[in-house]
Amino acid sequence: MKHLKLILLSVLILCTNLYFNAQDSGRYVQPNLENMSEITIEKADNLVLHYWDYFDFNDSGLIVKADVTEQGFVNFLSLLPYVSKKSEAFAKLYAKAGQNADMLSHFIDMTTKYLYEMDSPLCDEELYIVALNQLLACDKVSFDDKERVGYYLAKVMKNRVGHKATNFGFIQKQCKRRSLYGVKADYILLYFNDPTCDECHKLKTELILSPIISKKVEEGKLKVLSVCVEGNKDEWKTQSLPHQWIDACDERMLITDRELYDLPSLPVLYLLDRSYRVVQKNTNVEKLEIFFE
């Protein structure tokens, strides 16, 4: 596993080097490693710690040059899962970006865009938490930006992977009241949705058509708890779901009003184990299938 990790890291660094060496401006040459065959985690740590040494943070014109600044940040984020000094790398980046308030604000926005937003291929909640903590510790970050950072940190700290999920109540169409902790199964898939949402319909279809997920449901090892979080709507009352699913509604909208769960955009999936601990958060059908296989 460690050998595979080093191979992946080598490929990422090589691609990053090729990218920056191809830049026309000549103002940003990313640190290089002389011998790629001797890549180690220690050398990679040193690379990410000096990744931004030659970037001109005082040049506000680079903010709009997505092919340089944004792509450089994407490459930087791609390296971080494979190194140990993540906190230090973020700390150095934000301290340097703090030379220019506009540049720092841009990097804060990009951090949320790539590590938090669900449609980002680099979405990584644990890495996002590391970044947010470093932003809060950075004396260059303004009061307003720290307020914003603190808000996002509070959101993502809820129901983290490995932690017990928050209990909540719901009703079923027979007006039967139940709670999450009353659902018993080896695994519970929380499907937070709005029946009027097109993306929710799309995800519901994907779940139904997945042979792996359907098999687990049929075997009784997985229970799907579909929760309409938008109140007791007529659309919820008339929607059709597989009979094995639990068709639920948060009629008082407490999940959203009290922000019991982080729901950046609907639909959202959480996978829990029999102890209601979060196994996967903001996941998708592909990741669920890999897990159950």
Side-chain angles (χ1 to χ4, degrees), residues 6-22 30-37 39 44 47 51 75 78-79:
L6 291 175
I7 292 175
L8 292 171
L9 181 58
S10 299
V11 172
L12 281 170
I13 293 174
L14 180 60
C15 291
T16 303
N17 286 334
L18 290 174
Y19 169 76
F20 282 113
N21 290 337
Q30 188 229 349
N32 207 338
L33 290 176
E34 293 182 1
N35 192 342
M36 289 298 297
S37 65
I39 180 66
L47 175 65
Y51 188 95
N75 292 346
S78 299
L79 295 171

Side-chain angles (χ1 to χ4, degrees), residues 16 39 46 68 77 79 113-114 132 184 258 266 281:
T16 303
I39 180 66
N46 185 64
V68 177
L77 293 180
L79 295 171
K113 174 182 177 180
Y114 285 104
L132 293 178
K184 307 297 181 184
R258 296 182 182 177
L266 293 176
K281 179 177 179 180

Side-chain angles (χ1 to χ4, degrees), residues 101-246:
D102 291 336
M103 186 69 77
L104 178 57
S105 181
H106 181 54
F107 272 88
I108 293 174
D109 290 341
M110 288 195 297
T111 299
T112 295
K113 174 182 177 180
Y114 285 104
L115 293 181
Y116 177 68
E117 294 182 6
M118 293 175 59
D119 59 351
S120 166
L122 296 176
C123 182
D124 186 329
E125 184 177 87
E126 293 303 312
L127 193 58
Y128 187 48
I129 290 172
V130 174
L132 293 178
N133 278 313
Q134 291 307 314
L135 283 169
L136 288 177
C138 180
D139 58 6
K140 302 290 186 179
V141 178
S142 69
F143 176 81
D144 288 343
D145 279 334
K146 284 195 176 184
E147 286 280 297
R148 180 161 58 107
V149 168
Y151 169 75
Y152 278 107
L153 182 59
K155 284 168 66 73
V156 296
M157 290 297 288
K158 295 175 181 178
N159 304 299
R160 292 174 68 186
V161 171
H163 294 252
K164 194 167 184 177
T166 302
N167 195 20
F168 59 86
F170 57 84
I171 63 167
Q172 294 180 256
K173 288 177 180 174
Q174 304 83 3
C175 294
K176 180 180 179 181
R177 175 156 289 280
R178 300 178 64 185
S179 71
L180 168 62
Y181 288 3
V183 178
K184 307 297 181 184
D186 288 348
Y187 292 97
I188 302 166
L189 182 62
L190 300 181
Y191 164 49
F192 294 111
N193 64 87
D194 175 359
T196 65
C197 155
D198 291 338
E199 288 300 315
C200 298
H201 285 289
K202 179 181 177 182
L203 179 57
K204 179 178 73 173
T205 301
E206 290 180 14
L207 290 169
I208 293 171
L209 294 179
S210 167
I212 296 172
I213 293 173
S214 296
K215 180 181 178 183
K216 292 298 178 183
V217 172
E218 291 288 345
E219 294 173 345
K221 295 180 179 179
L222 172 67
K223 286 191 177 178
V224 180
L225 175 54
S226 171
V227 185
C228 170
V229 295
E230 295 297 323
N232 197 348
K233 292 183 171 181
D234 291 337
E235 290 84 357
W236 170 68
K237 295 176 182 177
T238 58
Q239 78 169 342
S240 175
L241 294 176
H243 71 275
Q244 303 100 326
W245 289 20
I246 301 173

